[in-house]
Amino acid sequence: MAGFIDKMKQSYRTATVPVRFVMVNVAVFALVRIVALVCLLFAVDATPAVELLEMPSSPARFAQQPWGILSYMFLHYDVMHILFNMLWLYWFGAMFHQLFGTRRFVGLYFLGGIGGALLYVLAYNVLPLFSDTAGMLLGASASVLAIVTATAVRQPDYKIGLLFFGQISLKWIAIATIFLDVISIGSSNAGGHIAHLGGAVVGALFALADRRGTDITAWLNSAIDWIVNLSRRAPRMRIGNFRKWQFGHYKKQEPATEQHQTAPRTTMHPADEAEMDEILKKIKLSGYSSLTAKEKKRLFEVSKR
């Protein structure tokens, strides 16, 4: 068991940020299902415990569990639900990460989930469809759809192969997904599909703002930085050298030295920058698949810096 845990830790440390988010989602899913199984065996209702991690549609209940607006986007219960969400997050997350980088991936995942949750609450408290009803939201779908939509807006003509459909542009995949959510609002999961649309809107706004040189996730990443820096100054117990659970952008804390304090931040060499501009221009015109193996390797190396 210890060996398995060590392997998982090593896999997490060496994985890309999108893969780390997949791993966290899967770990939470496994933990919830195990707890639910134990409760079932002992005839205990696990629903109240699971609902503590969900996003309530009632503002009054949300005031009692405000963490739900963040925890719900890592919570799944059905196998097919998490399977499709994680496949999409793995595929589109890799493309988004190459195009926009780590910080904006983290920021948009959370911002898309927050946008989906807010639209969900608004719908339940404004639309007559939900009169005298209350709901609980869970799943990463809004966050995932934000990533999908932003990637499709940035690279609309990039094609990927789909079983039975062949090569399809990202724009048509995003449009079809959003259309299915719209026509599914009349189903039993109306609130969930509305939340998906909230994530899609956030993803589109992110990509459109990026074209103008604006990062709408900047404030959220700044808030994350502030929380992390605050936690570093707060006295607390430590486990080994790690002072926080990491998604990848915030690194293992090292002892401060004069060299660390005075070393200048490195910048990209002008020749490397010109090379990256040419690679990105080629992706925009012909898609990622048009890159040579050497160009893909260079793009991956620079994106990890």
Side-chain angles (χ1 to χ4, degrees), residues 9 43 59 79 98 108 182 201 214 245 269 297:
K9 288 181 179 179
V79 174
Q98 286 187 328
L108 187 59
V182 171
V201 169
T214 302
W245 180 46
H269 190 277
K297 181 179 179 181

Side-chain angles (χ1 to χ4, degrees), residues 5-278:
I5 294 176
D6 290 339
K7 287 183 179 179
M8 293 304 298
K9 288 181 179 179
Q10 180 63 23
S11 297
Y12 182 83
R13 284 193 290 265
T14 58
T16 63
V17 174
V19 173
R20 292 186 182 189
F21 271 75
V22 172
M23 294 175 72
V24 171
N25 274 277
V26 172
V28 173
F29 169 77
L31 180 61
V32 169
R33 290 303 295 261
I34 291 172
V35 171
L37 177 60
V38 172
C39 290
L40 176 64
L41 295 175
F42 288 90
V44 176
D45 185 9
T47 302
V50 175
E51 287 184 348
L52 285 175
L53 300 176
E54 297 176 355
M55 176 66 195
S57 64
S58 167
R61 181 163 182 178
F62 172 67
Q64 298 175 358
Q65 53 182 78
W67 59 84
I69 199 170
L70 298 178
S71 60
Y72 96 91
M73 63 183 78
F74 294 95
L75 182 65
H76 300 81
Y77 194 79
D78 294 329
V79 174
M80 297 306 296
H81 189 196
I82 189 172
L83 177 61
F84 282 106
N85 273 348
M86 293 306 101
L87 286 175
W88 280 63
L89 184 60
Y90 178 80
W91 290 329
F92 282 90
M95 288 186 282
F96 181 97
H97 188 247
Q98 286 187 328
L99 293 171
F100 297 103
T102 295
R103 279 183 68 85
R104 288 194 280 183
F105 177 90
V106 175
L108 187 59
Y109 184 95
F110 284 107
L111 192 60
I114 292 171
L118 293 179
L119 187 61
Y120 173 80
V121 172
L122 180 65
Y124 260 86
N125 290 275
V126 172
L127 298 179
L129 173 65
F130 303 106
S131 297
D132 302 322
T133 61
M136 301 295 289
L137 180 66
L138 74 160
S141 299
S143 299
V144 172
L145 199 53
I147 299 293
V148 171
T149 305
T151 306
V153 172
R154 175 65 180 269
Q155 295 289 347
D157 296 319
Y158 177 74
K159 292 181 171 59
I160 62 174
L162 293 180
L163 187 64
F164 304 124
F165 295 96
Q167 298 291 316
I168 298 183
S169 300
L170 294 184
K171 62 184 177 185
W172 294 117
I173 295 176
I175 290 172
T177 303
I178 294 171
F179 176 73
L180 289 175
D181 276 315
V182 171
I183 64 176
S184 298
I185 291 178
S187 68
S188 58
N189 187 31
H193 292 291
I194 289 175
H196 299 174
L197 296 176
V201 169
V202 171
L205 292 176
F206 167 85
L208 293 175
D210 178 73
R211 290 180 179 176
R212 301 192 297 271
T214 302
D215 179 13
I216 66 173
T217 67
W219 67 271
L220 184 55
N221 280 317
S222 296
I224 296 174
D225 290 339
W226 181 84
I227 293 172
V228 170
N229 290 331
L230 182 65
S231 69
R232 286 175 176 171
R233 295 192 295 268
R236 68 188 192 282
M237 294 178 61
R238 295 177 60 181
I239 302 176
N241 289 330
F242 288 89
R243 301 195 62 174
K244 57 192 173 296
W245 180 46
Q246 306 163 40
F247 276 124
H249 172 66
Y250 305 103
K251 302 297 184 184
K252 178 179 177 180
Q253 181 164 334
E254 300 289 347
T257 65
E258 183 177 354
Q259 179 181 359
H260 289 146
Q261 294 170 348
T262 59
R265 179 177 296 178
T266 59
T267 57
M268 186 182 297
H269 190 277
D272 291 338
E273 187 173 356
E275 183 182 3
M276 288 302 100
D277 289 340
E278 290 299 320

